[in-house]
């Protein structure tokens, strides 16, 4: 958290900008007369191929970082001696099997997983409130208002994944509820992220709060509900594993969907395992600390992908 004691305010700036984009994009796509970016470029083969390649690269790298984080956390919390590849392959088999069932297999489990994960977060935070220290947030603006705003704008990328929901518009049956669905899901996700950031900053003084790799795990260490309930770590690991596999199944499904649209294929099922193993290979490279180059690539493709999804419809609105 580069902005020190003002990390929460910086995150608030990032969240506000991200949510503004989420709020207005459904209206923009509706005015452009398309459900997602591939319908916008449907008649332009080169634009479809280029935009598909950029978004696909973003998805692959994002999935690799997600898998590496999930496996690393699992090893720290429960399997310290297990080989990275062994744990990663276990998760790969789970999320790939879900994707093979199509859109329902990749997305429908979220209806149970997400509420369970949010409940676990709120449950743990309610237990550590007594350890919060408001003085950890002082000075409120850290190194200054300007620095707080700059860091907030720079860290918008933390909320970029919410933009991916605009790729699955064609799969949503109740079109009239699209905007409502996007806005509510975005608000819930942003609220939970902000709550975690605020809690870590209230629990740990700076600079310790900025050096935590897995903030919720750090919070979990302070959870205590008496001898009756001492294995909160096992329950939390379950919620993280399910959430991680749910996210990865969604990401891999999007990979196959984007690849199918970009190259105008009829069937994307054969590519589920191919993309899953590509994600595994890159996750292993990241774990081996070949991360700087890949992270820079992720930032480039992520920024370009978000720019395409957010700005492309404006080109078509002006032509209508």
């Amino acid at each position: 958290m580069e902005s020190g004691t003002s990390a929460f305010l910086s995150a608030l700036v990032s969240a506000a900008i991200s949510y503004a984009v989420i709020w207005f994009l459904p209206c923009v796509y509706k005015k452009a007369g398309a459900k997602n970016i591939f319908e916008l470029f449907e008649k332009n083969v080169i634009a479809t191929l280029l935009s598909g390649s950029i978004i696909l690269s973003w998805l692959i790298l994002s999935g690799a970082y997600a898998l590496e984080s999930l496996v690393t956390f699992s090893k720290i919390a429960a399997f310290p001696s297990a080989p990275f590849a062994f744990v990663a392959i276990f998760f790969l088999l789970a999320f790939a099997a879900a994707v093979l069932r199509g859109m329902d297999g990749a997305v429908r489990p979220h209806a149970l997983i997400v509420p369970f994960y949010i409940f676990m977060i709120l449950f743990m935070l309610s237990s550590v409130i007594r350890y919060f220290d408001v003085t950890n947030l002082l000075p409120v603006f850290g190194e200054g208002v300007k620095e707080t705003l700059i860091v907030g704008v720079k860290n918008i990328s933390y909320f970029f994944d919410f933009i991916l929901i605009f790729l699955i518009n064609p799969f949503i049956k109740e079109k009239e509820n699209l905007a409502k669905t996007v806005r509510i899901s975005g608000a819930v996700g942003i609220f939970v992220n902000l709550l975690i950031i605020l809690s870590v900053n209230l629990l740990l003084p700076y600079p310790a709060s900025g050096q935590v790799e897995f903030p919720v795990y750090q919070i979990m260490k302070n959870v205590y509900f008496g001898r009756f309930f001492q294995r909160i770590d096992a329950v939390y690991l379950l919620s993280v594993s399910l959430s991680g596999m749910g996210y990865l199944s969604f990401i891999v499904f999007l990979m196959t969907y984007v690849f199918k649209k970009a190259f105008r294929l009829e069937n994307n099922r054969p590519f589920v395992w191919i993309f899953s193993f590509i994600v595994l290979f890159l996750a292993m490279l990241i774990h081996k600390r070949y991360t700087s180059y890949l992270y820079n690539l992720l930032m480039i493709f992520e920024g370009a992908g978000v720019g395409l999804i957010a700005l492309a419809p404006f080109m078509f609105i002006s032509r209508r």
Side-chain angles (χ1 to χ4, degrees), residues 176-205:
E176 64 278 3
N177 293 330
L178 172 62
K180 182 179 178 181
T181 302
V182 170
R183 290 164 184 168
I184 291 176
S185 59
V188 171
I190 288 173
F191 171 75
V192 172
N193 277 280
L194 289 176
L195 193 61
I196 292 171
I197 293 171
L198 178 61
S199 300
V200 171
N201 280 268
L202 286 169
L203 193 63
L204 301 173

Side-chain angles (χ1 to χ4, degrees), residues 33-240:
K35 296 173 185 175
N36 64 17
I37 189 171
F38 296 109
E39 287 196 5
L40 290 174
F41 294 139
E42 191 172 14
K43 297 179 180 179
N44 190 325
V45 177
I46 296 177
T48 301
L49 185 60
L50 180 61
S51 59
S53 299
I54 291 172
I55 294 172
L56 182 61
S57 300
W58 167 23
L59 291 169
I60 290 173
L61 290 167
S62 181
Y65 271 92
L67 179 59
E68 194 277 335
S69 295
L70 178 61
V71 174
T72 300
F73 174 78
S74 300
K75 283 173 58 62
I76 292 173
F79 310 108
S81 61
F84 180 90
F86 176 81
V87 182
I89 290 174
F90 168 79
F91 286 121
L92 180 147
L93 293 174
F95 68 71
V99 178
L100 287 172
R101 298 187 62 185
M103 180 67 175
D104 284 347
V107 176
R108 194 175 294 276
H110 288 73
L112 294 176
I113 294 172
V114 173
F116 176 52
Y117 179 77
I118 293 175
F119 171 77
M120 283 301 305
I121 294 294
L122 297 177
F123 178 74
M124 288 191 295
L125 293 183
S126 67
S127 175
V128 299
I129 289 176
R130 61 182 179 273
Y131 300 120
F132 287 173
D133 185 354
V134 180
T135 60
N136 289 342
L137 300 179
L138 300 176
V140 175
F141 290 103
E143 298 179 10
V145 177
K146 182 180 179 181
E147 182 67 19
T148 299
L149 293 174
I150 290 174
V151 173
V153 173
K154 189 167 66 173
N155 288 342
I156 294 175
S157 59
Y158 290 131
F159 299 95
F160 273 174
D161 279 0
F162 289 112
I163 302 294
L164 293 174
I165 199 170
F166 291 97
L167 293 178
I168 64 170
N169 290 356
F171 297 96
I172 298 177
K173 297 178 181 179
E174 298 177 0
K175 308 300 180 186
E176 64 278 3
N177 293 330
L178 172 62
K180 182 179 178 181
T181 302
V182 170
R183 290 164 184 168
I184 291 176
S185 59
V188 171
I190 288 173
F191 171 75
V192 172
N193 277 280
L194 289 176
L195 193 61
I196 292 171
I197 293 171
L198 178 61
S199 300
V200 171
N201 280 268
L202 286 169
L203 193 63
L204 301 173
Y206 182 80
S209 59
Q211 299 170 349
V212 178
E213 185 175 3
F214 297 105
V216 180
Y217 182 65
Q218 187 64 40
I219 293 172
M220 184 184 69
K221 291 181 178 180
N222 295 278
V223 174
Y224 180 74
F225 279 97
R227 294 185 177 181
F228 176 74
F229 194 53
Q230 296 183 355
R231 293 310 308 270
I232 186 69
D233 55 331
V235 182
Y236 179 66
L237 177 61
L238 175 63
S239 70
V240 170

Side-chain angles (χ1 to χ4, degrees), residues 234-285:
V235 182
Y236 179 66
L237 177 61
L238 175 63
S239 70
V240 170
S241 299
L242 291 174
S243 300
M245 287 187 289
Y247 174 79
L248 285 164
S249 63
F250 175 66
I251 289 292
V252 173
F253 173 80
L254 286 181
M255 290 178 201
T256 60
Y257 170 72
V258 169
F259 190 76
K260 175 183 176 181
K261 286 293 184 180
F263 292 92
R264 301 176 184 268
L265 304 175
E266 292 296 327
N267 184 17
N268 57 358
R269 283 177 61 86
F271 299 98
V272 171
W273 291 107
I274 294 174
F275 285 122
S276 296
F277 279 103
I278 290 175
V279 167
L280 173 63
F281 174 73
L282 291 176
M284 293 179 70
L285 287 183

